[in-house]
Amino acid sequence: MNLEASLQYEVNNHELKSPPMHLLNCLPHRWLLIRCFSTKCLILHDPSVQQSYMELSQKFYEAMKACASLKSIPIARKLHAQLISIGLDSSVFLQNHLLHMYSNCSLINDACRIFSSINNGNVFSWNTIINGLVISGRIKEAEDLFNKMPERDSASWTTMMSGYFQNGQPEETIKQFASMIRCWNYVFDPFCFSCTMKACGSLGLIKLGCQLHSLVEKLDFGSNMAVQSSVIDMYIKCNSIVSAEKIFLRIQKPSLFCWNSMIYGFSKFYGVRKAFDLFTQMPEHDHVSWNIMISIFSQHGFGVQSLGAFVEMWNQGFRPNPMTYASVLSACASIHELGWGSHLHARIVRMEPNVDPYIGNGLIDMYAKCGHLSSARKVFNNLTEQNMVSWTSLIGGVAQFGHQEEALVLFNQMRKTPVNVDEFTLTTVLGVCSAQNYALTGEQLHEFTIKAGMDSSVPVGNALVTMYAKCGNADKANYIFEFMPIRDIISWTAMIMAYSQVGNVWKARQFFDKMPDRNVITWNSMLGTYVQNGFGEEGLKLYKLMWSEGVTPDWITYASAVSACADLAVLKLGNQIVAHAEKLGFGSNVSVSNSTITMYSKCGRMDEAQKVFDSMYEKNLISWNAIMAGYAQNGYGKKVIEIFENMLKRNCKPDHISYTSVLSGCSHSGLVNEGKHYFSSMIEDFGISPTSEHFACMVDLLGRSGLLEEAKSLIDGMTFKPNAAIWGALLSACRTHRDSDLAEFAVRNLLELDAEDSGCYVLLANIYSESGKLEAFADVRKYMRERGIQKNLGCSWIEVDNRVHVFTVNDTNHLEIREIHNMLEEITKKIEGTGLYLSPTNYLRSKAYHSEKLAVAFGLTSLPAWMPIHVMKNLRVCQDCHLVIKLISLVTSRELIVRDGYRFHHFKNGLCSCGDFW
């Protein structure tokens, strides 16, 4: 078979997309090769055959056009050589197409040499070389040539505008458009408007965009499909979805680009549901439509829906591209769906000849976030190209699971590679150093950012502020903030969190009030600052202000607001907020449910708390800890143990907070053996080292049970210095069992820790008083007077008719105090008639109405007989008041619930939930 026949056979029978190189290299130089896509044939030309100039030019034109599409460098050079050999290299028409062919084959230097050899180049010649330089990123050279052009047409201007935009200079695009407008010598085409609209959208220049839109309508370009798409895209990027929607609805047959833009816009401004509704209305979908919808689901936390859309896309005959796989892998990472992620990985390996870096990065991120760091590292090592995203994903995944040292080692390894460290990598590594034990490393990284010239970057600046904030250095965070050239909402929010970390609520509010713009995250940060620092009432005021300013809350808002209600024990307002959260679809959110459980628990409503817990579709460790803490605080120790055992059966691993609730429940219920068992189990079964909270619970448990020496031995065996809570628990037990000697020992240790705390002095004075050591009692009182240490004023409050009524000891200020005293006298007679009340005989204690007695009496006079009476107190209830209230529940057949400074007491039928063990 001869050469021509061999070439023709391979093309016709194998439908080759490019000429077979083994035959092309054998082709004599006199042959002309043309690949014609329309006929899928190969045309071979022998120059010995006589042809006209027009026929030759046409064939060379077709050959160069085909070569430009193929981007084949060898063919391009052979065609150029053929032109020279037959003397057609001086044809401007063919020279222009040589320029185009070389530019498309990325041979821009060859194109420039051709251009310099053209003697009488026309506008097409200039436009072609300028376009080639633009595509190659050599925008400055393109600009110089544009300025030297002897004449220009609209394509010249559009080429430069498009070049500026594609090379990240949208401002220059707009300047170029303005220059073109000033000339007024050119017939405008739609493409210059389309390009300028894109520039306005990227810069957020809504006013200029509106002016351009008006000019488009005036010039009657409004029906052009490219212009329509650009106008809609501009309005969406400028956050004017209403304007975009108006344009979209006017178009009779919107292009797929318009539909896709509107879906993105709807997701951004109206949420996922409306975006999906619009997606379902589309007459047809393309790859972009499916990718956008899958990405929207993934980015908004709808991982399951993202996977469902991927399956449906596949069923409808669309094959995924790297963008699709990356979005679906991100969805798998967000819901920790390792099974699906592994399945996708297998499918990618089977169907893709090479793993695209974009897909590889998605796999690393998915495996890392699912906790399979070995698989993430394996994918990373197998990548043909490890770029910044690959390194950052691996470092971030390693850091996420607490391997800070390994993350820093990886960062150092990255610095030794040719890959440049960018602002996103630095942001990730700075996040690793957001802890006290890495503060020095964080400062070194700060110096590195300065040397690298990235300290002026907004993300890096925000990461530095956040790092110093989490390390407790608010002043250094403020220093970084003040010197940031540009600040965004994240910068301001980070400063709010910085002062929240150190408890400076006033300073945090100052930053909040100074913010030029706020979003729901900012409001949540300030609300969280109030709640976490004990300013629940101010937090609820902020929540109300948030609504009045038209900010729509999210699940974090509701979780924080309900927590504030829990701290303040305002049940009615809490119920209203919970109802509102349910109305907006946040009621089933696990964090909101956890806060609701805590609120009901702190209001003594364990039945409601249990109902919320039982209704939760998904429970996390915080959910289990919340319900256990509630039962422990309300004195139901056996219930705490029951729930704890159920949690273990569900394979939910406990943490130190879980054991704090269990030990606290045992302490409040006198379950000594159970408490000892779980204290040992915590260490032996789960390797949890006891904290000061655990020791305080055990000392309290042993002390309440009269095992004072055993409690002291436990303290003596501690590996760290006991804190005030531990000594306070021992001192409280000493008072219960009237051991004044051990009480003195406990007080001496307490005073070393907090000499200004009145609680320990009051406890010691009461111990001396009840033990008959009157001289010691007087000495303690005298010492307190000399040091100016005042006893904390006890107060109790009760909510009646949406109003909180506060009482203090022997209060006479309440408007209904006479009725309250009359009720107390009447109730006292009934109590004494039972024969169960033994009034204190200590003559040093004058007869007094403590605040909780007054609050309970007010509840009896003001609330209907069927309604339980809820009273809150800031201090621990005394023994006399506890006995009186318990007997009130007997003689009135009322349910009384008192929350003191330590726990709940549920009084019913003459019994208390604490079993008189408080």
Side-chain angles (χ1 to χ4, degrees):
M1 187 182 295
N2 60 27
L3 180 60
E4 178 179 350
S6 176
L7 282 167
Q8 193 72 49
Y9 174 81
E10 292 212 16
V11 172
N12 292 342
N13 291 281
H14 299 281
E15 296 187 349
L16 299 178
K17 293 185 179 179
S18 60
M21 289 297 107
H22 68 284
L23 295 177
L24 180 66
N25 292 331
C26 300
L27 192 66
H29 205 60
R30 62 191 180 85
W31 291 90
L32 174 63
L33 181 81
I34 303 176
R35 176 81 162 89
C36 181
F37 291 106
S38 61
T39 60
K40 294 187 178 179
C41 64
L42 197 72
I43 301 174
L44 295 166
H45 169 66
D46 186 344
S48 62
V49 178
Q50 293 296 320
Q51 293 185 11
S52 68
Y53 169 78
M54 292 300 296
E55 289 174 332
L56 280 174
S57 296
Q58 181 63 28
K59 289 193 174 183
F60 268 108
Y61 159 70
E62 290 175 359
M64 286 187 284
K65 183 179 178 182
C67 180
S69 300
L70 292 169
K71 302 183 187 300
S72 174
I73 293 176
I75 295 178
R77 297 203 185 283
K78 285 185 179 293
L79 282 170
H80 190 188
Q82 189 74 18
L83 270 178
I84 295 172
S85 67
I86 61 176
L88 290 179
D89 57 316
S90 60
S91 165
V92 175
F93 171 76
L94 293 177
Q95 285 175 329
N96 288 343
H97 288 289
L98 269 176
L99 290 176
H100 176 72
M101 178 183 68
Y102 275 135
S103 297
N104 273 35
C105 293
S106 301
L107 298 171
I108 189 63
N109 290 329
D110 294 76
C112 288
R113 281 193 290 272
I114 297 296
F115 178 76
S116 63
S117 68
I118 300 175
N119 293 324
N120 298 304
N122 53 25
V123 174
F124 185 85
S125 312
W126 287 85
N127 290 347
T128 303
I129 190 62
I130 290 172
N131 186 61
L133 290 168
V134 162
I135 293 172
S136 302
R138 293 158 66 167
I139 191 71
K140 187 67 176 70
E141 295 175 55
E143 183 181 310
D144 291 340
L145 277 179
F146 178 81
N147 292 332
K148 294 176 183 176
M149 287 184 74
E151 59 175 322
R152 303 177 184 130
D153 60 8
S154 59
S156 312
W157 291 95
T158 304
T159 300
M160 278 309 301
M161 284 188 278
S162 175
Y164 282 127
F165 184 78
Q166 290 170 11
N167 286 274
Q169 300 180 42
E171 301 93 340
E172 295 300 321
T173 298
I174 294 171
K175 289 179 182 177
Q176 195 78 341
F177 179 79
S179 299
M180 184 183 75
I181 292 290
R182 281 194 291 269
C183 291
W184 280 111
N185 295 326
Y186 305 98
V187 177
F188 297 123
D189 66 20
F191 301 105
C192 63
F193 286 98
S194 177
C195 186
T196 314
M197 286 285 186
K198 291 178 183 178
C200 291
S202 68
L203 295 171
L205 301 177
I206 183 66
K207 289 185 178 179
L208 180 58
C210 289
Q211 292 172 350
L212 283 172
H213 184 198
S214 299
L215 186 56
V216 161
E217 296 293 342
K218 183 178 179 180
L219 296 173
D220 200 24
F221 290 147
S223 59
N224 181 275
M225 189 175 292
V227 173
Q228 289 173 347
S229 302
S230 299
V231 171
I232 289 174
D233 184 61
M234 180 272 297
Y235 278 126
I236 289 172
K237 288 179 178 175
C238 290
N239 299 325
S240 182
I241 188 65
V242 175
S243 300
E245 199 169 355
K246 286 180 181 177
I247 303 298
F248 179 76
L249 293 174
R250 287 209 320 250
I251 304 173
Q252 289 185 354
K253 292 184 179 180
S255 65
L256 277 171
F257 183 91
C258 293
W259 281 99
N260 294 335
S261 295
M262 289 305 299
I263 290 169
Y264 168 75
F266 271 35
S267 72
K268 185 177 178 182
F269 298 98
Y270 298 143
V272 178
R273 186 180 297 277
K274 281 207 168 187
F276 182 67
D277 288 343
L278 188 64
F279 176 82
T280 57
Q281 294 172 26
M282 291 181 69
E284 60 176 324
H285 302 116
D286 61 0
H287 270 96
V288 177
S289 313
W290 283 106
N291 284 340
I292 288 175
M293 202 62 240
I294 291 169
S295 177
I296 287 169
F297 279 135
S298 178
Q299 290 174 11
H300 287 79
F302 293 86
V304 175
Q305 289 81 352
S306 182
L307 297 177
F310 173 74
V311 172
E312 184 63 24
M313 171 187 176
W314 191 278
N315 291 337
Q316 292 195 17
F318 291 94
R319 292 297 174 258
N321 58 21
M323 181 78 71
T324 319
Y325 281 122
S327 295
V328 180
L329 287 169
S330 177
C332 293
S334 67
I335 59 176
H336 305 291
E337 182 52 64
L338 182 64
W340 250 94
S342 301
H343 169 75
L344 280 172
H345 189 185
R347 181 183 290 245
I348 290 165
V349 171
R350 187 173 69 252
M351 302 193 68
E352 301 293 331
N354 296 307
V355 177
D356 183 276
Y358 201 60
I359 299 175
N361 296 338
L363 286 168
I364 294 169
D365 183 63
M366 183 274 297
Y367 280 123
K369 287 182 178 175
C370 289
H372 276 240
L373 300 179
S374 59
S375 299
R377 188 180 281 277
K378 187 175 180 180
V379 174
F380 177 82
N381 292 334
N382 290 333
L383 284 178
T384 55
E385 178 189 347
Q386 294 163 346
N387 56 25
M388 288 180 293
V389 180
S390 316
W391 282 99
T392 304
S393 297
L394 185 61
I395 292 169
V398 169
Q400 181 183 350
F401 286 89
H403 305 293
Q404 284 86 357
E405 290 290 344
E406 188 179 350
L408 293 172
V409 169
L410 282 170
F411 176 67
N412 283 329
Q413 290 175 0
M414 177 185 176
R415 290 177 59 193
K416 295 174 184 177
T417 66
V419 177
N420 291 325
V421 177
D422 69 351
E423 59 185 21
F424 300 106
T425 312
L426 267 178
T427 300
T428 301
V429 180
L430 286 168
V432 174
C433 300
S434 297
Q436 286 286 357
N437 50 335
Y438 289 100
L440 181 59
T441 308
E443 290 180 2
Q444 292 171 345
L445 276 171
H446 184 190
E447 294 175 3
F448 175 80
T449 62
I450 296 171
K451 290 179 182 177
M454 284 189 276
D455 55 318
S456 59
S457 162
V458 175
V460 173
N462 292 341
L464 285 168
V465 171
T466 303
M467 180 196 73
Y468 282 118
K470 289 186 176 179
C471 290
N473 194 339
D475 292 336
K476 196 64 181 280
N478 189 32
Y479 175 81
I480 301 296
F481 177 84
E482 292 295 334
F483 280 91
M484 287 179 69
I486 301 173
R487 305 174 189 129
D488 59 11
I489 288 180
I490 298 173
S491 317
W492 288 90
T493 306
M495 284 309 303
I496 293 172
M497 297 306 298
Y499 283 104
S500 175
Q501 287 279 121
V502 297
N504 193 337
V505 178
W506 177 77
K507 192 73 174 177
R509 183 59 189 261
Q510 274 192 321
F511 274 91
F512 178 81
D513 291 336
K514 289 178 183 176
M515 287 185 71
D517 296 298
R518 303 187 190 110
N519 59 15
V520 67
I521 298 173
T522 314
W523 285 89
N524 288 341
S525 298
M526 194 64 234
L527 178 57
T529 297
Y530 278 130
V531 175
Q532 291 161 18
N533 288 279
F535 294 89
E537 189 173 348
E538 293 300 319
L540 292 174
K541 288 179 181 177
L542 189 75
Y543 171 77
K544 183 179 178 181
L545 179 64
M546 181 178 181
W547 269 108
S548 65
E549 294 201 7
V551 181
T552 304
D554 60 8
W555 65 267
I556 299 175
T557 315
Y558 286 112
S560 299
V562 174
S563 294
C565 295
D567 294 338
L568 297 171
V570 284
L571 184 61
K572 288 186 178 179
L573 180 58
N575 280 332
Q576 292 172 4
I577 294 175
V578 169
H580 202 201
E582 290 176 350
K583 183 179 179 181
L584 293 181
F586 298 115
S588 59
N589 179 273
V590 65
S591 296
V592 176
S593 297
N594 292 341
S595 296
T596 305
I597 291 170
T598 302
M599 181 194 71
Y600 283 132
S601 300
K602 289 187 175 182
C603 292
R605 301 296 183 90
M606 288 312 301
D607 289 341
E608 285 89 339
Q610 184 67 55
K611 286 178 183 176
V612 174
F613 181 79
D614 292 339
S615 67
M616 292 177 68
Y617 175 75
E618 177 188 357
K619 300 179 180 72
N620 58 19
L621 181 59
I622 299 173
S623 314
W624 291 96
N625 287 345
I627 193 68
M628 286 192 292
Y631 277 116
Q633 191 179 24
N634 282 270
Y636 300 105
K638 291 184 178 179
K639 187 68 175 176
V640 176
I641 293 174
E642 177 189 329
I643 293 173
F644 181 75
E645 292 297 333
N646 286 335
M647 183 180 80
L648 296 181
K649 290 176 183 176
R650 300 284 184 90
N651 295 321
C652 184
K653 187 179 179 181
D655 62 359
H656 67 283
I657 298 174
S658 311
Y659 274 103
T660 300
S661 296
V662 172
L663 295 176
S664 176
C666 292
S667 171
H668 289 153
S669 301
L671 303 174
V672 178
N673 293 330
E674 290 85 346
K676 289 180 178 180
H677 163 73
Y678 285 111
F679 187 73
S680 301
S681 168
M682 172 178 66
I683 304 167
E684 296 169 3
D685 297 340
F686 294 98
I688 300 173
S689 300
T691 64
S692 57
E693 287 85 358
H694 300 127
F695 277 106
C697 289
M698 286 304 296
V699 170
D700 191 53
L701 171 62
L702 295 170
R704 288 175 188 272
S705 303
L707 304 173
L708 296 177
E709 288 301 323
E710 192 172 341
K712 184 178 180 299
S713 297
L714 183 67
I715 295 173
D716 293 338
M718 288 174 59
T719 57
F720 52 89
K721 189 175 181 180
N723 61 11
I726 294 171
W727 290 118
L730 182 62
L731 180 59
S732 179
C734 290
R735 180 194 177 185
T736 301
H737 298 285
R738 300 187 179 182
D739 188 333
S740 58
D741 294 333
L742 188 56
E744 289 176 354
F745 173 75
V747 167
R748 283 197 299 271
N749 285 280
L750 262 173
L751 296 182
E752 290 179 8
L753 297 172
D754 189 358
E756 300 303 319
D757 180 26
S758 65
C760 59
Y761 292 104
V762 173
L763 265 176
L764 184 61
N766 290 338
I767 291 170
Y768 285 141
S769 172
E770 292 165 0
S771 302
K773 296 182 178 181
L774 304 183
E775 187 176 341
F777 169 81
D779 289 341
V780 173
R781 288 293 193 185
K782 180 181 178 183
Y783 182 83
M784 290 177 67
R785 285 194 300 272
E786 290 174 352
R787 293 294 183 92
I789 301 172
Q790 296 182 350
K791 179 181 177 180
N792 291 332
L793 180 65
C795 67
S796 299
W797 60 95
I798 181 173
E799 186 178 352
V800 175
D801 295 332
N802 297 321
R803 181 184 168 195
V804 177
H805 299 258
V806 182
F807 298 89
T808 56
V809 63
N810 288 332
D811 200 333
T812 58
N813 295 324
H814 198 277
L815 295 176
E816 300 179 38
I817 195 64
R818 181 174 297 178
E819 291 82 354
I820 293 170
H821 283 169
N822 291 338
M823 174 60 74
L824 278 174
E825 290 176 4
E826 180 183 338
I827 288 294
T828 302
K829 290 177 183 178
K830 291 182 179 180
I831 289 173
E832 290 173 345
T834 64
L836 299 173
Y837 179 66
L838 300 175
S839 180
T841 57
N842 192 324
Y843 66 89
L844 286 176
R845 180 180 295 168
S846 60
K847 184 178 180 180
Y849 285 138
H850 283 183
S851 60
E852 56 265 50
K853 290 181 182 177
L854 295 171
V856 168
F858 178 64
L860 291 170
T861 63
S862 306
L863 297 174
W866 56 267
M867 183 180 289
I869 297 172
H870 290 258
V871 172
M872 310 292 168
K873 185 179 180 182
N874 63 331
L875 302 178
R876 185 176 182 177
V877 64
C878 73
Q879 188 172 359
D880 180 59
C881 288
H882 188 272
L883 177 59
V884 168
I885 297 171
K886 185 170 67 171
L887 294 175
I888 289 175
S889 74
L890 177 65
V891 299
T892 61
S893 298
R894 296 288 292 268
E895 183 180 357
L896 308 171
I897 302 169
V898 178
R899 190 187 86 174
D900 66 8
Y902 293 83
R903 60 171 298 169
F904 271 94
H905 300 267
H906 294 258
F907 300 96
K908 195 171 184 180
N909 298 325
L911 298 174
C912 180
S913 59
C914 72
D916 298 335
F917 194 84
W918 86 103

